[in-house]
Amino acid sequence: MKAATSYNRIKRAYYIQTILVFSFLFWIVSSGVAQNQQPIIDSLFKVKKTIQAIRISSAPKIDANMDESFWKDCPVASNFVEYAPRNGTVPTVATEVRFAYDDEALYVFAVMFDPHPDSICKELGRRDQVESLTTDYISFDILPYNDGLNMFEFKVTPRGLQNDCKYSAVGVDITWDAVWEYAAKITDKGWVAEVKFPYSALRFPKIENQVWGFNMWRNFHRKNEFSTWSWVDNKDNNIFSYYSQLVGINNIKPPVRLSFSPYISGYIEQTTENKNWSYILRGGLDLRYGINESYTLDMMLIPDFGQVQSDDQILNLTPFEVRYDERRQFFTEATELFNKCGIFYTRRVGSMPRNFYAPYDSLKVNEKISKNPEETRIINATKISGRNSKGLGIGFFNAMTTNTWGKLEDTITGASRRIATQPFTNYNVLVIDQNLKHNSYVTLINTNFWTPDDHYSANVTGVETRLYNKKSTWSIQGRLNVSQKYQNKIKPDFGYDYTLVLSKTSGKFQLQVGREEINDHYDPNDMGFLTNNNEAVNQAKIYWLIYDPVWKILNNQSEFVVTYNTLYKPYAFEGLRIQAGNTTTFTNFWSTFVQAGIYPYGYHDYYEPRTWGLLYQRPQYYDFAWNMGTNARKPFRLVINTFLMNSPSVKNFQYSVSLTPRVRFSDRFAVTLSTSYEKNLNNQGWVKTNFDSLFNVITLFGRRDVNTISNILTVSYIFNTKASLSLRARHYWSMAKYLEFYTLNGNGTLDQSDYKQNHDINFNAFTVDLQFVWYFAPGSELSVVWKNIISTQDQAVADNYWNNLGNTLHSPQTNSFSVRVLYYLDYLKLKKALSNRH
């Protein structure tokens, strides 16, 4: 009785809290009055602009000094317009930019005026971290085909830190890195930047008179103000339709784009299998070749990924595979085309062998496993990607992994034998993507996984399109994927997955309705990633957005979402979820997120039982999340994330709290600690599957308390824009303690069982990644890395955190020290250097 009363109190408190939060947010929005704004600029300033680059006879020295006389003769791009927070008004500070070019590159000189140069935000970081730092920057957006779809973005900060990425109809590729020169400095009038964009870093049509789509974005970080040279309406998602033009670049030719990046690396390693230190020397080569002005060949010979950041392993009690982020540069850079239709998960290439556990199943008496690689070894990988002047994008990817073997050793005789865990494998992807009018596209993609020795092939073909109306206010997106599996002497298996989404994409009020259906035979997982098939998802979303400041609110987004899930075959109800959420940024730059959701009819889970045809009827439950972040521009910032979930009928109550304080001691030195605690009381889930004497399935469930503590310490020290030192240490501890056991009935309910075996879990993952990086020349780097990895799992649940941590640190571990040098060699520069010698 007391327990029931306690849960009823929690339930009432939850509803009261939810009502109060949403009432407060509604009151803020409805009763707020607009702040005083600067005058709206004349409509003439909103028209599309044109700026001309002038041809020069000799290249400037990239030093952020306007010493060359020609800069004064260049037309000036000025009259920037505020984008946010007060769209269409006069910016607080002025900006002036000039352009010049020769046969090798485009040159830009930008002056960012600031009446208080001593207060300019200028935090240092590593390359491509600009948007996460407290720093001003200017961004140069170049669309060489002027197609409103494909854009190269280059950012520079007052301290000369660079950031580059590519945009396409698919989205943004933040991992793309080009080789370009830049310099910046702070002056008594603000700060200036001088940039050289070699034509080898761009893709442009082979025509006499170039007309490039162009815009510039200035981030005046002290006031969180963004301004653009060409006015962009912040209520429209299709920002490229507002871009202006850069003209005057004539009689230039796309250069020969050929570069080599040879590397050599050395490792000293100690593993859990071998406590003796081993020494490894590796070498390889990355090659990049511009097939023509549109398409590029990238090739990786004998790759080395030993310095990639360790994965954040977790205790996985679900029936689904954990998806880890891709961090290997070759597989993240210039791969936006390959993301179409969602059927290529690059982590499959070089992943755990398909028959990794075969050596364990083959062990004989007195045998031990002396070697069993957790990753297949990549021999080489090649990709071709690009888009021509007619908007035709082509992507081709191929990779090969060599035979992988596990080794078993007789502990008495010393004899050894090998077990194949994965034979030679070929991975192949082909993409054809055509740009259409109004930021629309249509795509055809195919992936193929082939192991010749096993006579096995898995093939997935996808078609995808997104169509906008002329004003880009509405869109329709459709996708159809078909999977095919072929194996010797086995009937081919076919499956499909389709998605259809209709969206209103602009304005204060936006909406989206869609359906995805995955049949029971669809399986893309040889090269893709899908947690479960045999499901249909129907969803409707309604958004309400506030773009301009109102009262204490800088911007705001509210949403209401309804999701209805069913099985595909047989058609059966899974769940109905109703949720509402709100994200708000205030004028003091604090931000909040609140979300509440409910499954009013519970959830029929057909996957947790791990046997098809069974289901587990999870009772009604509801959840609530609240997140808050303080001003990121301050030296101290705190982010708080909270979550509550309650299923009253089974007394399943879950809550989690995470705190992430960050202290920026200087523009060079920052420390972040992310600590979280999660408690899941009376959680019910699958334990094991047994069979009775008649081979009938007996599915055991357990009631368990699951506690999880995670701590991540991140320390970074930036020596300058070329050199940095970073440390990331993570300890994850999760323990599941079983309280009682049940058998699963045919109707999805549970009956108590007298099963008594111990299934408690004590799981630890501890990793340290310490890295020093020095970019000693354009495109070239030296990196020194220490990695420490500990992973343990047993049934002895520790009594407290510190004892558990001590036991973990004394467990077998893998240590690796490595040094890697990569040097960038450009064909044109080599040719020029050799010519000068003669």
Side-chain angles (χ1 to χ4, degrees), residues 490-512:
I490 297 178
K491 184 180 178 181
D493 193 21
F494 300 89
Y496 72 84
D497 164 27
Y498 80 80
T499 302
L500 187 64
V501 179
L502 175 67
S503 305
K504 181 180 182 295
T505 57
S506 66
K508 292 184 176 181
F509 170 75
Q510 299 181 17
L511 62 85
Q512 183 182 95

PDB file of all heavy atoms in Angstrom, residues 490-512:
ATOM      1  N   ILE A 490      20.980 -22.029 -51.629  1.00  0.00           N
ATOM      2  CA  ILE A 490      19.909 -21.481 -50.801  1.00  0.00           C
ATOM      3  C   ILE A 490      19.088 -20.518 -51.658  1.00  0.00           C
ATOM      4  O   ILE A 490      19.649 -19.718 -52.416  1.00  0.00           O
ATOM      5  CB  ILE A 490      20.468 -20.757 -49.566  1.00  0.00           C
ATOM      6  CG1 ILE A 490      21.211 -21.753 -48.668  1.00  0.00           C
ATOM      7  CG2 ILE A 490      19.342 -20.089 -48.775  1.00  0.00           C
ATOM      8  CD1 ILE A 490      21.833 -21.117 -47.442  1.00  0.00           C
ATOM      9  N   LYS A 491      17.793 -20.573 -51.523  1.00  0.00           N
ATOM     10  CA  LYS A 491      16.913 -19.720 -52.304  1.00  0.00           C
ATOM     11  C   LYS A 491      17.182 -18.253 -51.993  1.00  0.00           C
ATOM     12  O   LYS A 491      17.309 -17.877 -50.825  1.00  0.00           O
ATOM     13  CB  LYS A 491      15.458 -20.057 -51.989  1.00  0.00           C
ATOM     14  CG  LYS A 491      14.455 -19.281 -52.832  1.00  0.00           C
ATOM     15  CD  LYS A 491      13.024 -19.673 -52.456  1.00  0.00           C
ATOM     16  CE  LYS A 491      12.013 -18.862 -53.275  1.00  0.00           C
ATOM     17  NZ  LYS A 491      10.616 -19.222 -52.913  1.00  0.00           N
ATOM     18  N   PRO A 492      17.296 -17.387 -53.017  1.00  0.00           N
ATOM     19  CA  PRO A 492      17.531 -15.952 -52.781  1.00  0.00           C
ATOM     20  C   PRO A 492      16.446 -15.347 -51.893  1.00  0.00           C
ATOM     21  O   PRO A 492      15.280 -15.757 -51.937  1.00  0.00           O
ATOM     22  CB  PRO A 492      17.503 -15.355 -54.190  1.00  0.00           C
ATOM     23  CG  PRO A 492      17.839 -16.493 -55.095  1.00  0.00           C
ATOM     24  CD  PRO A 492      17.248 -17.713 -54.458  1.00  0.00           C
ATOM     25  N   ASP A 493      16.857 -14.360 -51.101  1.00  0.00           N
ATOM     26  CA  ASP A 493      15.951 -13.706 -50.158  1.00  0.00           C
ATOM     27  C   ASP A 493      15.821 -12.234 -50.538  1.00  0.00           C
ATOM     28  O   ASP A 493      16.828 -11.548 -50.747  1.00  0.00           O
ATOM     29  CB  ASP A 493      16.503 -13.834 -48.735  1.00  0.00           C
ATOM     30  CG  ASP A 493      15.476 -13.455 -47.684  1.00  0.00           C
ATOM     31  OD1 ASP A 493      14.272 -13.477 -48.000  1.00  0.00           O
ATOM     32  OD2 ASP A 493      15.887 -13.140 -46.558  1.00  0.00           O
ATOM     33  N   PHE A 494      14.577 -11.741 -50.648  1.00  0.00           N
ATOM     34  CA  PHE A 494      14.332 -10.365 -51.068  1.00  0.00           C
ATOM     35  C   PHE A 494      13.505  -9.645 -50.006  1.00  0.00           C
ATOM     36  O   PHE A 494      12.635 -10.245 -49.365  1.00  0.00           O
ATOM     37  CB  PHE A 494      13.578 -10.329 -52.405  1.00  0.00           C
ATOM     38  CG  PHE A 494      14.312 -10.982 -53.538  1.00  0.00           C
ATOM     39  CD1 PHE A 494      14.150 -12.341 -53.804  1.00  0.00           C
ATOM     40  CD2 PHE A 494      15.176 -10.242 -54.330  1.00  0.00           C
ATOM     41  CE1 PHE A 494      14.821 -12.947 -54.841  1.00  0.00           C
ATOM     42  CE2 PHE A 494      15.857 -10.848 -55.372  1.00  0.00           C
ATOM     43  CZ  PHE A 494      15.679 -12.196 -55.633  1.00  0.00           C
ATOM     44  N   GLY A 495      13.773  -8.343 -49.834  1.00  0.00           N
ATOM     45  CA  GLY A 495      13.003  -7.529 -48.901  1.00  0.00           C
ATOM     46  C   GLY A 495      12.973  -6.086 -49.358  1.00  0.00           C
ATOM     47  O   GLY A 495      13.742  -5.684 -50.240  1.00  0.00           O
ATOM     48  N   TYR A 496      12.097  -5.281 -48.748  1.00  0.00           N
ATOM     49  CA  TYR A 496      12.016  -3.874 -49.152  1.00  0.00           C
ATOM     50  C   TYR A 496      11.732  -2.981 -47.954  1.00  0.00           C
ATOM     51  O   TYR A 496      11.245  -3.417 -46.901  1.00  0.00           O
ATOM     52  CB  TYR A 496      10.948  -3.669 -50.234  1.00  0.00           C
ATOM     53  CG  TYR A 496       9.516  -3.778 -49.727  1.00  0.00           C
ATOM     54  CD1 TYR A 496       8.867  -2.685 -49.142  1.00  0.00           C
ATOM     55  CD2 TYR A 496       8.813  -4.981 -49.833  1.00  0.00           C
ATOM     56  CE1 TYR A 496       7.574  -2.780 -48.686  1.00  0.00           C
ATOM     57  CE2 TYR A 496       7.522  -5.096 -49.370  1.00  0.00           C
ATOM     58  CZ  TYR A 496       6.903  -3.980 -48.798  1.00  0.00           C
ATOM     59  OH  TYR A 496       5.611  -4.077 -48.319  1.00  0.00           O
ATOM     60  N   ASP A 497      12.038  -1.702 -48.151  1.00  0.00           N
ATOM     61  CA  ASP A 497      11.789  -0.650 -47.157  1.00  0.00           C
ATOM     62  C   ASP A 497      11.431   0.613 -47.928  1.00  0.00           C
ATOM     63  O   ASP A 497      12.175   1.015 -48.826  1.00  0.00           O
ATOM     64  CB  ASP A 497      13.046  -0.436 -46.302  1.00  0.00           C
ATOM     65  CG  ASP A 497      13.026   0.871 -45.526  1.00  0.00           C
ATOM     66  OD1 ASP A 497      11.933   1.364 -45.211  1.00  0.00           O
ATOM     67  OD2 ASP A 497      14.121   1.408 -45.249  1.00  0.00           O
ATOM     68  N   TYR A 498      10.289   1.231 -47.622  1.00  0.00           N
ATOM     69  CA  TYR A 498       9.964   2.489 -48.296  1.00  0.00           C
ATOM     70  C   TYR A 498       9.586   3.559 -47.277  1.00  0.00           C
ATOM     71  O   TYR A 498       9.084   3.265 -46.191  1.00  0.00           O
ATOM     72  CB  TYR A 498       8.850   2.317 -49.341  1.00  0.00           C
ATOM     73  CG  TYR A 498       7.437   2.274 -48.785  1.00  0.00           C
ATOM     74  CD1 TYR A 498       6.755   3.452 -48.441  1.00  0.00           C
ATOM     75  CD2 TYR A 498       6.767   1.065 -48.623  1.00  0.00           C
ATOM     76  CE1 TYR A 498       5.467   3.413 -47.946  1.00  0.00           C
ATOM     77  CE2 TYR A 498       5.478   1.015 -48.131  1.00  0.00           C
ATOM     78  CZ  TYR A 498       4.824   2.201 -47.788  1.00  0.00           C
ATOM     79  OH  TYR A 498       3.549   2.172 -47.284  1.00  0.00           O
ATOM     80  N   THR A 499       9.850   4.806 -47.663  1.00  0.00           N
ATOM     81  CA  THR A 499       9.529   5.960 -46.824  1.00  0.00           C
ATOM     82  C   THR A 499       8.895   7.029 -47.694  1.00  0.00           C
ATOM     83  O   THR A 499       9.352   7.286 -48.817  1.00  0.00           O
ATOM     84  CB  THR A 499      10.791   6.537 -46.164  1.00  0.00           C
ATOM     85  OG1 THR A 499      11.424   5.526 -45.389  1.00  0.00           O
ATOM     86  CG2 THR A 499      10.449   7.719 -45.264  1.00  0.00           C
ATOM     87  N   LEU A 500       7.867   7.691 -47.166  1.00  0.00           N
ATOM     88  CA  LEU A 500       7.223   8.806 -47.862  1.00  0.00           C
ATOM     89  C   LEU A 500       6.932   9.894 -46.833  1.00  0.00           C
ATOM     90  O   LEU A 500       6.277   9.621 -45.820  1.00  0.00           O
ATOM     91  CB  LEU A 500       5.942   8.347 -48.546  1.00  0.00           C
ATOM     92  CG  LEU A 500       5.239   9.375 -49.457  1.00  0.00           C
ATOM     93  CD1 LEU A 500       6.144   9.721 -50.639  1.00  0.00           C
ATOM     94  CD2 LEU A 500       3.897   8.836 -49.943  1.00  0.00           C
ATOM     95  N   VAL A 501       7.441  11.115 -47.087  1.00  0.00           N
ATOM     96  CA  VAL A 501       7.296  12.216 -46.128  1.00  0.00           C
ATOM     97  C   VAL A 501       6.860  13.472 -46.868  1.00  0.00           C
ATOM     98  O   VAL A 501       7.469  13.860 -47.878  1.00  0.00           O
ATOM     99  CB  VAL A 501       8.620  12.508 -45.390  1.00  0.00           C
ATOM    100  CG1 VAL A 501       8.444  13.666 -44.419  1.00  0.00           C
ATOM    101  CG2 VAL A 501       9.108  11.273 -44.659  1.00  0.00           C
ATOM    102  N   LEU A 502       5.825  14.129 -46.371  1.00  0.00           N
ATOM    103  CA  LEU A 502       5.362  15.423 -46.887  1.00  0.00           C
ATOM    104  C   LEU A 502       5.612  16.470 -45.822  1.00  0.00           C
ATOM    105  O   LEU A 502       5.238  16.279 -44.655  1.00  0.00           O
ATOM    106  CB  LEU A 502       3.872  15.364 -47.233  1.00  0.00           C
ATOM    107  CG  LEU A 502       3.217  16.681 -47.662  1.00  0.00           C
ATOM    108  CD1 LEU A 502       3.779  17.146 -49.006  1.00  0.00           C
ATOM    109  CD2 LEU A 502       1.696  16.530 -47.744  1.00  0.00           C
ATOM    110  N   SER A 503       6.258  17.605 -46.211  1.00  0.00           N
ATOM    111  CA  SER A 503       6.653  18.606 -45.220  1.00  0.00           C
ATOM    112  C   SER A 503       6.339  20.013 -45.691  1.00  0.00           C
ATOM    113  O   SER A 503       6.484  20.328 -46.883  1.00  0.00           O
ATOM    114  CB  SER A 503       8.161  18.514 -44.941  1.00  0.00           C
ATOM    115  OG  SER A 503       8.544  17.234 -44.550  1.00  0.00           O
ATOM    116  N   LYS A 504       5.915  20.844 -44.750  1.00  0.00           N
ATOM    117  CA  LYS A 504       5.909  22.295 -44.939  1.00  0.00           C
ATOM    118  C   LYS A 504       7.191  22.793 -44.285  1.00  0.00           C
ATOM    119  O   LYS A 504       7.388  22.619 -43.088  1.00  0.00           O
ATOM    120  CB  LYS A 504       4.693  22.936 -44.293  1.00  0.00           C
ATOM    121  CG  LYS A 504       4.622  24.447 -44.481  1.00  0.00           C
ATOM    122  CD  LYS A 504       3.382  25.036 -43.808  1.00  0.00           C
ATOM    123  CE  LYS A 504       3.284  26.547 -44.053  1.00  0.00           C
ATOM    124  NZ  LYS A 504       4.388  27.306 -43.431  1.00  0.00           N
ATOM    125  N   THR A 505       8.074  23.425 -45.079  1.00  0.00           N
ATOM    126  CA  THR A 505       9.455  23.616 -44.647  1.00  0.00           C
ATOM    127  C   THR A 505       9.843  25.054 -44.344  1.00  0.00           C
ATOM    128  O   THR A 505      11.009  25.315 -44.077  1.00  0.00           O
ATOM    129  CB  THR A 505      10.407  23.079 -45.728  1.00  0.00           C
ATOM    130  OG1 THR A 505      10.141  23.750 -46.968  1.00  0.00           O
ATOM    131  CG2 THR A 505      10.217  21.579 -45.922  1.00  0.00           C
ATOM    132  N   SER A 506       8.922  25.988 -44.385  1.00  0.00           N
ATOM    133  CA  SER A 506       9.291  27.369 -44.085  1.00  0.00           C
ATOM    134  C   SER A 506       8.169  28.043 -43.318  1.00  0.00           C
ATOM    135  O   SER A 506       7.041  27.532 -43.237  1.00  0.00           O
ATOM    136  CB  SER A 506       9.593  28.137 -45.380  1.00  0.00           C
ATOM    137  OG  SER A 506       8.430  28.276 -46.153  1.00  0.00           O
ATOM    138  N   GLY A 507       8.485  29.225 -42.761  1.00  0.00           N
ATOM    139  CA  GLY A 507       7.505  29.964 -41.998  1.00  0.00           C
ATOM    140  C   GLY A 507       7.528  29.638 -40.525  1.00  0.00           C
ATOM    141  O   GLY A 507       8.240  28.739 -40.072  1.00  0.00           O
ATOM    142  N   LYS A 508       6.737  30.362 -39.755  1.00  0.00           N
ATOM    143  CA  LYS A 508       6.676  30.133 -38.315  1.00  0.00           C
ATOM    144  C   LYS A 508       5.982  28.823 -37.977  1.00  0.00           C
ATOM    145  O   LYS A 508       6.289  28.189 -36.978  1.00  0.00           O
ATOM    146  CB  LYS A 508       5.943  31.287 -37.632  1.00  0.00           C
ATOM    147  CG  LYS A 508       6.694  32.608 -37.676  1.00  0.00           C
ATOM    148  CD  LYS A 508       5.957  33.685 -36.904  1.00  0.00           C
ATOM    149  CE  LYS A 508       6.752  34.987 -36.874  1.00  0.00           C
ATOM    150  NZ  LYS A 508       6.062  36.044 -36.114  1.00  0.00           N
ATOM    151  N   PHE A 509       5.052  28.424 -38.837  1.00  0.00           N
ATOM    152  CA  PHE A 509       4.330  27.175 -38.628  1.00  0.00           C
ATOM    153  C   PHE A 509       4.800  26.168 -39.666  1.00  0.00           C
ATOM    154  O   PHE A 509       4.736  26.408 -40.868  1.00  0.00           O
ATOM    155  CB  PHE A 509       2.830  27.413 -38.752  1.00  0.00           C
ATOM    156  CG  PHE A 509       2.015  26.150 -38.797  1.00  0.00           C
ATOM    157  CD1 PHE A 509       1.801  25.412 -37.647  1.00  0.00           C
ATOM    158  CD2 PHE A 509       1.474  25.696 -39.996  1.00  0.00           C
ATOM    159  CE1 PHE A 509       1.058  24.248 -37.686  1.00  0.00           C
ATOM    160  CE2 PHE A 509       0.728  24.529 -40.036  1.00  0.00           C
ATOM    161  CZ  PHE A 509       0.507  23.804 -38.884  1.00  0.00           C
ATOM    162  N   GLN A 510       5.307  25.023 -39.213  1.00  0.00           N
ATOM    163  CA  GLN A 510       5.775  23.981 -40.119  1.00  0.00           C
ATOM    164  C   GLN A 510       5.189  22.641 -39.683  1.00  0.00           C
ATOM    165  O   GLN A 510       4.836  22.462 -38.512  1.00  0.00           O
ATOM    166  CB  GLN A 510       7.302  23.903 -40.129  1.00  0.00           C
ATOM    167  CG  GLN A 510       7.978  25.181 -40.603  1.00  0.00           C
ATOM    168  CD  GLN A 510       9.490  25.086 -40.640  1.00  0.00           C
ATOM    169  OE1 GLN A 510      10.062  24.000 -40.609  1.00  0.00           O
ATOM    170  NE2 GLN A 510      10.155  26.239 -40.694  1.00  0.00           N
ATOM    171  N   LEU A 511       5.090  21.729 -40.638  1.00  0.00           N
ATOM    172  CA  LEU A 511       4.543  20.411 -40.303  1.00  0.00           C
ATOM    173  C   LEU A 511       5.199  19.347 -41.166  1.00  0.00           C
ATOM    174  O   LEU A 511       5.820  19.633 -42.190  1.00  0.00           O
ATOM    175  CB  LEU A 511       3.024  20.384 -40.452  1.00  0.00           C
ATOM    176  CG  LEU A 511       2.426  20.652 -41.842  1.00  0.00           C
ATOM    177  CD1 LEU A 511       2.365  19.390 -42.685  1.00  0.00           C
ATOM    178  CD2 LEU A 511       1.018  21.213 -41.690  1.00  0.00           C
ATOM    179  N   GLN A 512       5.028  18.097 -40.726  1.00  0.00           N
ATOM    180  CA  GLN A 512       5.596  16.958 -41.432  1.00  0.00           C
ATOM    181  C   GLN A 512       4.760  15.728 -41.131  1.00  0.00           C
ATOM    182  O   GLN A 512       4.438  15.448 -39.987  1.00  0.00           O
ATOM    183  CB  GLN A 512       7.043  16.735 -40.992  1.00  0.00           C
ATOM    184  CG  GLN A 512       7.767  15.623 -41.716  1.00  0.00           C
ATOM    185  CD  GLN A 512       9.179  15.437 -41.184  1.00  0.00           C
ATOM    186  OE1 GLN A 512       9.417  14.591 -40.323  1.00  0.00           O
ATOM    187  NE2 GLN A 512      10.106  16.219 -41.684  1.00  0.00           N
TER     188      GLN A 512
END
